[in-house]
Amino acid sequence: MNADSPEVMPQSLGSRWIETFDPDGISIQTASGFVVFQDDRHYLVSNKHVLGGLTHDNAYTPKFGRRLPASAAVWFPSAQDPTVGVRKRIELLQPGAARWLKHPWTPCDIAAVELPQWDDVAMIDTHIGETWVFGSRPRVEPGQDVFVIGFPLNRNGGTETLGIWTRASLANEPAFNIDELPRILIDSATIDGLSGSPVFAHWKRGENIPIIGGGAIGVLEHTSAFLGIYSGRIDERSNLGYVWRPNLISEILQHRAVFDPVGDLLG
């Protein structure tokens, strides 16, 4: 980005705009995702129902039936100017198998696919580890504002690489899981296209950040804490939505378990 470019929040540039296609090249859906760097590899991370067309427990998604994605077109930031998009095609299937990674033991709506290195693309990574502020960890609480950053209804935040910030509130005590699965709830009027979006707690310059263990710390810069990956509402009648926990992403990338259509879907 040159000196004359407007200042852009890193989180705005961190979300990726995704469109998936079936084997015949017909569009299935648009959604969101983000890039994670781990063990010297870059991965595109999104939902399993986006990259694989399956629910967290490997059922066909009701909305798309048996139309499993074969490829995805993804907008990445240009290496010259990250606010300018470069569209890349990513194969999601290979002969007799998938290319995307699943969690090896926990049923969750997260998938990842390894990315090649492109000279014309800037890989803007999302930090999925814990956030520390002067040696302390921020505390997030029910009712606190959080943000789902992605591409609702196939719209962007000004260019193909700028996500839209959708405000939400944390809807449960974050130390506790929902339905005995590693996920939390947010309350927001989220809509199609936000599946796979990163979710952040965010504090502005000058705000006091509550700290685990008590007290608060004032910060001079914008500070964000990654809370997980959004995967959709619990029910069409509700504004409550699921956010899967960050450790699941790290475990997927560490174990690199490729989805097996025979063993996982038909077995």
Side-chain angles (χ1 to χ4, degrees):
M1 192 179 299
N2 60 54
D4 296 327
S5 299
E7 183 178 357
V8 175
M9 296 289 293
Q11 292 79 13
S12 298
L13 285 166
S15 295
R16 301 279 64 83
W17 193 1
I18 301 172
E19 183 175 9
T20 57
F21 299 88
D22 69 12
D24 295 323
I26 299 173
S27 177
I28 298 177
Q29 66 173 319
T30 60
S32 305
F34 51 96
V35 173
V36 174
F37 183 71
Q38 183 167 309
D39 298 328
D40 295 323
R41 296 182 174 99
H42 284 99
Y43 298 89
L44 175 69
V45 177
S46 188
N47 293 140
K48 185 192 289 185
H49 77 259
V50 172
L51 299 182
L54 301 170
T55 63
H56 74 277
D57 54 358
N58 289 341
Y60 290 107
T61 54
K63 188 172 183 178
F64 304 112
R66 294 175 179 265
R67 296 175 64 202
L68 299 182
S71 64
V74 185
W75 287 100
F76 290 92
S78 163
Q80 285 71 41
D81 182 346
T83 63
V84 175
V86 178
R87 199 170 191 236
K88 297 292 187 180
R89 179 186 176 94
I90 299 169
E91 298 300 326
L92 300 174
L93 298 178
Q94 54 191 341
R99 289 193 63 244
W100 52 271
L101 307 177
K102 62 170 186 174
H103 198 281
W105 61 82
T106 299
C108 61
D109 194 358
I110 309 175
V113 61
E114 185 176 346
L115 297 172
Q117 296 298 316
W118 295 296
D119 292 338
D120 57 342
V121 162
M123 291 291 188
I124 297 179
D125 309 321
T126 294
H127 174 68
I128 63 172
E130 293 179 343
T131 297
W132 293 84
V133 180
F134 299 112
S136 299
R137 289 173 53 201
R139 184 177 75 249
V140 291
E141 302 168 325
Q144 176 177 337
D145 280 350
V146 298
F147 295 90
V148 184
I149 306 177
F151 299 88
L153 296 178
N154 204 25
R155 302 297 299 271
N156 62 58
T159 77
E160 303 93 345
T161 63
L162 294 176
I164 293 172
W165 294 53
T166 299
R167 187 186 300 270
S169 61
L170 190 59
N172 74 297
E173 290 286 349
F176 292 85
N177 290 332
I178 299 298
D179 302 326
E180 299 183 349
L181 289 170
R183 56 190 180 183
I184 58 176
L185 289 174
I186 59 172
D187 186 356
S188 178
T190 49
I191 48 181
D192 288 350
L194 286 174
S195 291
S197 296
V199 180
F200 295 94
H202 182 76
W203 297 271
K204 298 177 182 178
R205 293 188 184 103
E207 282 193 90
N208 289 325
I209 300 180
I211 298 301
I212 292 176
I217 295 177
V219 291
L220 300 178
E221 298 294 336
H222 295 292
T223 302
S224 294
F226 179 73
L227 300 183
I229 178 171
Y230 177 75
S231 69
R233 288 182 285 172
I234 66 171
D235 188 283
E236 291 298 321
R237 301 165 296 176
S238 173
N239 281 344
L240 294 175
Y242 292 122
V243 177
W244 296 87
R245 295 188 184 275
N247 64 288
L248 296 168
I249 301 171
S250 298
E251 291 163 357
I252 288 172
L253 304 187
Q254 177 184 354
H255 292 275
R256 293 175 53 84
V258 178
F259 178 78
D260 175 12
V262 176
D264 293 323
L265 189 56
L266 303 178

